[in-house]
Amino acid sequence: MKDKKLAIIQSSFELFLSQGYHATSIQDILNKSNVSKGTFYNYFESKSSLLQQTLLYREERIQYQRDLLLDGDNMGDRHIFIQQIEVTFLNKGTINMSELMDDAAVSDDSNLIKFMKELRNSFIEWLYKRLHQIYGVKYEAYIAEMTLVFAGVLQNLFHFSPLMNTKNNDYIRLIEYSLTSVETIIANKTQGEKAIVTNEAFEQNFEIALQTDSLFSEFAIHTNSLKKAIERLYGDEPQMCNFLYDLVAFVQQEIVAEQPKRALILSTITTFNSFDRLHSSNELADFLQTMQNLGYEMF
């Protein structure tokens, strides 16, 4: 990512957190990032587009850091899961981030509202998959219920953490408490009591939501995997590696834009196939399949 663009993203995120989305003007962002209005609009179509790309950038960093904790053999490790949740909140923060999300969601920008819904849904979907990997054998029928209860308990504990007798940023303690509470609730229900929300109903409704609203979750996951593949395959060629990173960044930027440049997106993703090592990778195949699912099919 270009230095100036990254500077704008980092500066705007600080302002959005401290002042709120609506209270932060483009001029505030220009002043803090020390760039001209022309430079700003060279990278972002609007303040809404900037917020979306800022949150997308941070979500990808979080996903990358969460993935680093997994090695393929510890998917069912409860402690690793707690560390992944900690990574999420260390990067997002607590109250300020929650307030920013709420502030941005109150908007007359339909694309921004849609994006915020996708952002929230992507975390719930990730929780559901991870809890299934950890508790799928023991609590198979209750994974959806665990997901919703855990997400609710966790969110409220973090929101009211200043009132609690905890050390500053004692995330592990709050996460452990939330997970243990949910485990206790579910353990007491396994004597034949039905789940409040079945996995089937949850998955069906979630699939409907994803079909109509979500382009973030699967796209973000496979984009992150593609970046790791680029680093693995071209890490010894910094110039080539950075070039491919820029192509990925362009697709990321355009796909969440208010009016995506379809022809340029298709041209860019087609370019990936011209690199032999990348062309034969599973990561690129998964990424291209995701793009096809989003309506960007190469001919």
Side-chain angles (χ1 to χ4, degrees), residues 222-245:
H222 291 305
T223 300
N224 183 60
S225 296
L226 181 61
K227 285 182 176 179
K228 289 196 285 187
I230 291 171
E231 184 178 356
R232 183 183 73 247
L233 296 170
Y234 298 95
D236 58 344
E237 302 176 49
Q239 188 172 358
M240 179 64 71
C241 194
N242 289 333
F243 173 72
L244 290 170
Y245 277 156

Side-chain angles (χ1 to χ4, degrees), residues 135-146:
Y135 300 100
V137 175
K138 189 174 184 180
Y139 299 132
E140 171 65 35
Y142 303 94
I143 302 301
E145 184 172 337
M146 286 188 76

Side-chain angles (χ1 to χ4, degrees), residues 207-272:
E207 285 172 1
I208 292 173
L210 289 176
Q211 288 170 6
T212 57
D213 291 325
S214 179
L215 59 77
F216 173 77
S217 181
E218 185 178 352
F219 174 74
I221 290 171
H222 291 305
T223 300
N224 183 60
S225 296
L226 181 61
K227 285 182 176 179
K228 289 196 285 187
I230 291 171
E231 184 178 356
R232 183 183 73 247
L233 296 170
Y234 298 95
D236 58 344
E237 302 176 49
Q239 188 172 358
M240 179 64 71
C241 194
N242 289 333
F243 173 72
L244 290 170
Y245 277 156
D246 285 344
L247 292 182
V248 175
F250 172 78
V251 175
Q252 290 175 289
Q253 175 182 338
E254 280 302 314
I255 207 156
V256 297
E258 294 178 8
Q259 295 182 328
K261 298 180 180 68
R262 181 177 179 83
L264 290 179
I265 292 174
L266 288 171
S267 175
T268 302
I269 62 178
T270 300
T271 301
F272 288 127

Side-chain angles (χ1 to χ4, degrees), residues 98-110:
S98 177
E99 291 177 347
L100 170 60
M101 298 285 282
D102 292 340
D103 181 28
V106 183
S107 169
D108 57 2
D109 185 329
S110 60

Side-chain angles (χ1 to χ4, degrees), residues 104-257:
V106 183
S107 169
D108 57 2
D109 185 329
S110 60
N111 285 328
L112 179 58
I113 293 173
K114 177 181 177 181
F115 179 82
M116 302 304 285
K117 288 172 62 179
E118 292 162 1
L119 205 58
R120 294 178 190 275
N121 284 348
S122 69
F123 181 63
I124 296 297
E125 182 186 18
W126 177 81
L127 275 182
Y128 179 73
K129 291 177 179 178
R130 290 294 290 118
L131 288 171
H132 198 280
Q133 290 167 341
I134 298 167
Y135 300 100
V137 175
K138 189 174 184 180
Y139 299 132
E140 171 65 35
Y142 303 94
I143 302 301
E145 184 172 337
M146 286 188 76
T147 301
L148 298 177
V149 175
F150 178 65
V153 171
L154 192 64
Q155 179 179 357
N156 281 289
L157 278 179
F158 273 100
H159 185 76
F160 291 103
S161 59
L163 305 178
M164 300 177 186
N165 183 26
T166 59
K167 298 179 181 179
N168 291 335
N169 299 332
D170 190 1
Y171 296 129
I172 290 291
R173 183 179 176 187
L174 293 179
I175 298 166
E176 177 69 45
Y177 178 85
S178 300
L179 190 56
T180 300
S181 298
V182 174
E183 289 170 338
T184 301
I185 292 171
I186 299 302
N188 291 332
K189 294 191 63 171
T190 57
Q191 304 303 318
E193 184 179 350
K194 292 183 179 180
I196 295 175
V197 181
T198 66
N199 295 346
E200 292 76 13
F202 179 87
E203 291 172 3
Q204 182 180 11
N205 285 315
F206 211 77
E207 285 172 1
I208 292 173
L210 289 176
Q211 288 170 6
T212 57
D213 291 325
S214 179
L215 59 77
F216 173 77
S217 181
E218 185 178 352
F219 174 74
I221 290 171
H222 291 305
T223 300
N224 183 60
S225 296
L226 181 61
K227 285 182 176 179
K228 289 196 285 187
I230 291 171
E231 184 178 356
R232 183 183 73 247
L233 296 170
Y234 298 95
D236 58 344
E237 302 176 49
Q239 188 172 358
M240 179 64 71
C241 194
N242 289 333
F243 173 72
L244 290 170
Y245 277 156
D246 285 344
L247 292 182
V248 175
F250 172 78
V251 175
Q252 290 175 289
Q253 175 182 338
E254 280 302 314
I255 207 156
V256 297

